[in-house]
């Protein structure tokens, strides 16, 4: 019986699903587009629930076709890999429900927060710790924007994750972060592979919102 692995990619414009057979041949490629919202200049947001809805639709469609291909027998799925855009931010409440649209990696609203962080944190020190300077792709300035501008949202947050971490949670019920997302956060030490507690303390961000980090 043929076995398969599935790849799911949470892209900026679509969810894509790829099926590989055991001999590495591509059996199926399928995708569903989703919307990018920009209500104000520089904003870039998406609906994390829509990512999951489209993922489920693609999985159902794919598994049905693989079952037919296998003569009516359920397909032997060995593994599912999930990739996606880095570092989108999904903010989730204690019930596992996103409390707002995701803030995408190309969002440019955090000009004031970036300027503040560049003044607060010696950038040579940050670079030595994280491998990068404060910029609009970092998670920290976008979190500070939400904290400042959307306190009612901030009060509901209990989990913070990325685009594909969200899909992994929906598939498994487990919270986790992939290390590339953590590196792009501006809060993660690339040498010790640990969160930098000083920044969490300085900006009053609960470390418990951030699940365990795993290598890709």
């Amino acid at each position: 019986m043929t076995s398969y692995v599935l790849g799911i990619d949470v892209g900026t414009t679509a969810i894509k699903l790829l099926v590989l057979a055991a001999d590495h041949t591509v059996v199926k490629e399928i995708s569903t587009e989703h919307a990018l919202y920009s209500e104000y200049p520089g904003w870039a947001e998406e609906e994390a629930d829509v990512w999951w809805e489209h993922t489920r639709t693609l999985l159902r469609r794919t598994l049905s076709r693989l079952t037919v291909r296998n003569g009516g027998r359920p397909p032997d799925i060995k593994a599912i890999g999930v990739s996606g855009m880095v570092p989108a931010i999904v903010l989730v409440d204690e019930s596992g429900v996103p409390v707002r649209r995701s803030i995408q990696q190309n969002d440019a609203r955090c000009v004031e927060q970036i300027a503040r962080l560049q003044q607060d944190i010696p950038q040579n020190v940050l670079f030595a710790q994280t491998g990068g300077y404060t910029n609009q792709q970092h998670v920290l300035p976008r979190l500070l924007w939400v904290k400042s501008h959307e306190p009612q949202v901030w009060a509901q947050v209990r989990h913070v994750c990325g685009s594909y971490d969200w899909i992994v949670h929906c598939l498994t019920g487990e919270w986790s972060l992939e290390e590339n997302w953590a590196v792009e956060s501006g809060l993660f030490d690339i040498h010790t592979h640990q969160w930098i507690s000083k920044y969490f303390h300085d900006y009053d961000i609960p470390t418990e919102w951030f699940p365990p980090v795993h290598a890709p």
Side-chain angles (χ1 to χ4, degrees):
M1 182 178 178
T2 302
S3 59
Y4 306 94
V5 294
L6 306 182
I8 300 168
D9 181 65
V10 186
T12 303
T13 59
I15 300 291
K16 297 176 282 291
L17 191 147
L18 178 74
V19 182
L20 291 175
D23 62 0
H24 304 161
T25 58
V26 176
V27 175
K28 183 74 178 173
E29 291 183 75
I30 190 171
S31 65
T32 300
E33 294 184 354
H34 49 244
L36 176 69
Y37 299 93
S38 185
E39 294 186 358
Y40 301 96
W43 286 34
E45 301 182 340
E46 295 190 6
E47 296 282 3
D49 281 336
V50 171
W51 300 339
W52 174 230
E53 178 186 338
H54 288 180
T55 297
R56 287 190 299 170
T57 298
L58 294 180
L59 283 170
R60 282 194 297 263
R61 204 176 296 169
T62 299
L63 294 175
S64 176
R65 292 175 185 177
L66 289 177
T67 298
V68 172
R69 178 188 175 98
N70 287 347
R73 294 170 298 174
D76 180 21
I77 307 297
K78 294 296 187 184
I80 300 176
V82 188
S83 63
M85 46 200 160
V86 177
I89 301 174
V90 182
L91 303 176
V92 183
D93 68 15
E94 61 184 357
S95 299
V97 177
V99 295
R100 71 174 327 279
R101 288 174 181 162
S102 70
I103 303 180
Q104 300 299 100
Q105 71 282 358
N106 55 335
D107 190 281
R109 76 186 67 185
C110 299
V111 175
E112 292 181 8
Q113 289 73 27
I114 290 170
R116 173 190 171 188
L117 290 168
Q118 288 174 337
Q119 191 168 34
D120 286 354
I121 303 172
Q123 293 295 293
N124 60 327
V125 173
L126 185 69
F127 184 86
Q129 292 175 308
T130 68
Y133 303 107
T134 300
N135 64 81
Q136 74 174 40
Q137 286 207 175
H138 273 185
V139 169
L140 179 56
R142 284 177 284 162
L143 288 179
L144 294 179
W145 185 94
V146 174
K147 184 178 181 181
S148 175
H149 292 269
E150 299 179 346
Q152 75 285 359
V153 169
W154 188 256
Q156 298 176 67
V157 178
R158 294 298 179 272
H159 305 281
V160 180
C161 65
S163 59
Y164 46 97
D165 307 303
W166 165 246
I167 297 301
V168 169
H169 169 72
C170 292
L171 287 168
T172 66
E174 300 292 332
W175 291 108
S176 63
L177 286 172
E178 190 265 328
E179 192 164 15
N180 282 299
W181 188 97
V183 168
E184 291 281 3
S185 70
L187 295 162
F188 190 77
D189 191 310
I190 61 175
H191 307 288
T192 65
H193 303 277
Q194 300 291 326
W195 298 110
I196 304 171
S197 58
K198 172 178 169 51
Y199 299 149
F200 284 86
H201 178 268
D202 287 352
Y203 299 102
D204 194 24
I205 296 173
T207 54
E208 60 268 23
W209 289 359
F210 291 71
V213 177
H214 301 285

